[in-house]
Amino acid sequence: NASVCGLTRAVQNDIDVAVKALKHAKNPRIHTGIGTSDSHIKHKFNSTRDKILERAVEAVKYSKKYVDDVEFYAEDAGRTDNDFLAIVCEKVIDAGATVLNIPDTTGYCLPYEYGKKISYLMNNVKNIDKATISCHCHNDLGLATANSIEGVINGARQIECTINGIGERAGNTSLEEVVMILKQHEELNLDTNINTKLLLETSRMVSDLMGMIVQPNKAIVGANA
């Protein structure tokens, strides 16, 4: 029942490689995207907003030729101007994107800022009903879980997360944390349908296989918890 997803840049060859990798998947998804903040546009791509928008749309259209389920990421969305981000979202949905990934790439956003950004997109992207907004938060400042929760409170319906919060630099949103927060706060009416009795066992399996120790005071799955 799982969707298997191939991650790519907004580059045709990347997408071709992902398509080959996904050929045996029953529910394939291609996750393609490009940086949308002015910092990325200027310093990473030496480009313009119009050209980046064009590349984003082309990547989604090309991916859509091969799979029905296409996720688009707006890298550094946390520092992207909301008006431009809304335009990008609208155009890639028109091109066929089914999920919009709104990454806080550097883990910089405060929870209320991230929540406001998701809320802005929910209220200003006219075709938002045709796609799901996804939270993709990094933990550089220890805010990944809080930001993800704020994101779903404001309308996101997918959280990109990892067992034990593993990920580059300080890690990504911790699956077990967001799952238990949503379970404990029934008033939010956001059910993940995850069997929470398996969280500890899964955490230990990942820790053993990766050789990455879980700190004793780690929320939910730490030995002291």
Side-chain angles (χ1 to χ4, degrees), residues 104-110 137-143 147 169:
D104 182 23
T105 300
T106 59
Y108 178 78
C109 284
L110 292 169
C137 299
H138 285 260
N139 205 38
D140 297 69
L141 296 176
L143 293 168
N147 283 341
R169 301 187 312 277

Side-chain angles (χ1 to χ4, degrees), residues 80-101:
T80 298
D81 172 73
N82 282 349
D83 289 336
F84 179 59
L85 185 60
I87 292 169
V88 172
C89 289
E90 184 179 318
K91 296 298 184 185
V92 296
I93 293 172
D94 280 342
T98 48
V99 180
L100 299 174
N101 175 7

Side-chain angles (χ1 to χ4, degrees), residues 57-129:
V57 169
E58 285 176 359
V60 172
K61 283 183 176 177
Y62 189 71
S63 300
K64 199 73 175 179
K65 290 179 182 178
Y66 300 101
V67 298
D68 292 328
D69 190 6
V70 178
E71 180 170 352
F72 176 83
Y73 66 84
E75 190 176 3
D76 207 23
R79 297 189 297 178
T80 298
D81 172 73
N82 282 349
D83 289 336
F84 179 59
L85 185 60
I87 292 169
V88 172
C89 289
E90 184 179 318
K91 296 298 184 185
V92 296
I93 293 172
D94 280 342
T98 48
V99 180
L100 299 174
N101 175 7
I102 309 301
D104 182 23
T105 300
T106 59
Y108 178 78
C109 284
L110 292 169
Y112 83 92
E113 292 175 320
Y114 191 76
K116 276 176 64 178
K117 189 173 288 282
I118 300 301
S119 177
Y120 184 88
L121 296 176
M122 289 294 295
N123 291 303
N124 289 278
V125 177
K126 64 182 180 183
N127 52 2
I128 197 65
D129 59 306

